[in-house]
C-alpha cells in the first residue's frame, strides 16, 4: 500500500472520529440523565483522543492530517438527523442515535481494515480503535435496550 493511500485511509478515520466527538458532545448537552450525559462526554473525549492518535500517525507518514469532521455536517457518522432536533429527544432516542452513529463508525473501521497491506503500525492502531468502537457500540445498545424496557 503506498503512503498516499495509508494517509487517505487514516484521514477518513479522523473524520469519523471527529464526527463522533461532535455527535456525542451534542447528545451530552441534551441528555437528561446524569449517567447518560457523562457517558456521552466520555465517548466524545475518546473520539477526540482517537483522532489525535490518527493525526500523529498521518504526520509520521509525511501527510497533512485532517482536522475536521466530514464536510457533510457529520453525515458519515449518522448524526445529521440529530443536529436540529435533539432538544426534544428523550435519552432513549439519543441512545438510539448514538448507536446508529457507532454503526457507521464500525463500518468506517471495517473499510480501513479491509486493506490487507496496511503497514503493521497502522493496522495495530486501527484494530485497537476498532475494538474500542465495538465495545462502545455494545454499551450503547445495552443501555438503549435497558432504556426501552423502562419505557414500556
Amino acid at each position: 500500500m503506498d503512503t498516499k493511500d495509508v494517509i487517505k485511509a487514516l484521514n477518513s478515520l479522523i473524520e469519523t472520529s471527529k464526527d463522533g466527538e461532535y455527535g456525542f458532545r451534542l447528545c451530552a448537552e441534551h441528555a437528561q440523565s446524569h449517567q447518560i450525559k457523562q457517558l456521552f462526554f466520555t465517548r466524545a473525549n475518546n473520539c477526540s483522543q482517537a483522532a489525535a492518535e490518527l493525526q500523529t500517525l498521518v504526520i509520521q507518514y509525511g501527510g497533512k492530517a485532517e482536522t475536521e469532521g466530514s464536510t457533510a455536517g457529520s453525515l458519515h457518522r449518522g448524526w445529521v438527523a440529530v443536529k436540529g432536533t435533539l432538544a426534544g429527544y428523550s435519552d432513549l432516542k439519543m441512545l438510539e442515535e448514538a448507536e446508529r452513529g457507532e454503526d457507521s463508525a464500525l463500518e468506517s473501521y471495517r473499510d480501513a481494515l479491509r486493506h490487507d497491506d496496511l503497514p503493521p503500525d497502522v493496522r495495530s492502531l486501527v484494530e485497537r480503535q476498532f475494538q474500542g468502537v465495538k465495545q462502545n457500540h455494545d454499551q450503547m445498545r445495552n443501555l438503549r435496550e435497558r432504556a426501552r424496557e423502562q419505557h414500556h
Side-chain angles (χ1 to χ4, degrees), residues 44-56:
N45 290 337
N46 292 352
C47 289
S48 175
Q49 192 178 347
E53 289 177 335
L54 294 161
Q55 287 163 332
T56 300

Side-chain angles (χ1 to χ4, degrees), residues 7 11 14 51 54-59 63-68:
I7 292 167
N11 273 329
I14 292 169
L54 294 161
Q55 287 163 332
T56 300
L57 212 47
V58 168
I59 292 162
K64 183 180 181 313
E66 185 60 61
T67 57
E68 300 289 318

Side-chain angles (χ1 to χ4, degrees), residues 41 44 50 59 68 76 94 96 100 123 148:
F41 273 128
I59 292 162
E68 300 289 318
H76 296 302
M94 277 191 270
E96 288 169 352
R100 191 170 22 252
R123 178 167 293 281
R148 258 195 199 149

Side-chain angles (χ1 to χ4, degrees), residues 13-94:
L13 292 176
I14 292 169
E15 272 190 9
T16 296
S17 298
K18 288 291 187 186
D19 289 348
E21 179 185 2
Y22 168 79
F24 282 117
R25 273 196 211 295
L26 266 180
C27 284
E29 287 165 19
H30 294 285
Q32 284 134 23
S33 145
H34 180 71
Q35 179 196 6
I36 304 264
K37 194 179 276 284
Q38 283 308 114
L39 171 71
F40 286 148
F41 273 128
T42 300
R43 280 299 299 129
N45 290 337
N46 292 352
C47 289
S48 175
Q49 192 178 347
E53 289 177 335
L54 294 161
Q55 287 163 332
T56 300
L57 212 47
V58 168
I59 292 162
Q60 285 172 2
Y61 274 84
K64 183 180 181 313
E66 185 60 61
T67 57
E68 300 289 318
S70 59
T71 49
S74 307
L75 188 63
H76 296 302
R77 191 72 185 228
W79 294 107
V80 118
V82 175
K83 197 173 175 186
T85 54
L86 271 182
Y89 275 20
S90 65
D91 286 354
L92 170 61
K93 188 82 173 128
M94 277 191 270

Side-chain angles (χ1 to χ4, degrees), residues 119-130:
D121 57 336
V122 173
R123 178 167 293 281
S124 71
L125 175 65
V126 172
E127 280 179 350
R128 183 171 51 75
Q129 289 188 356
F130 176 64

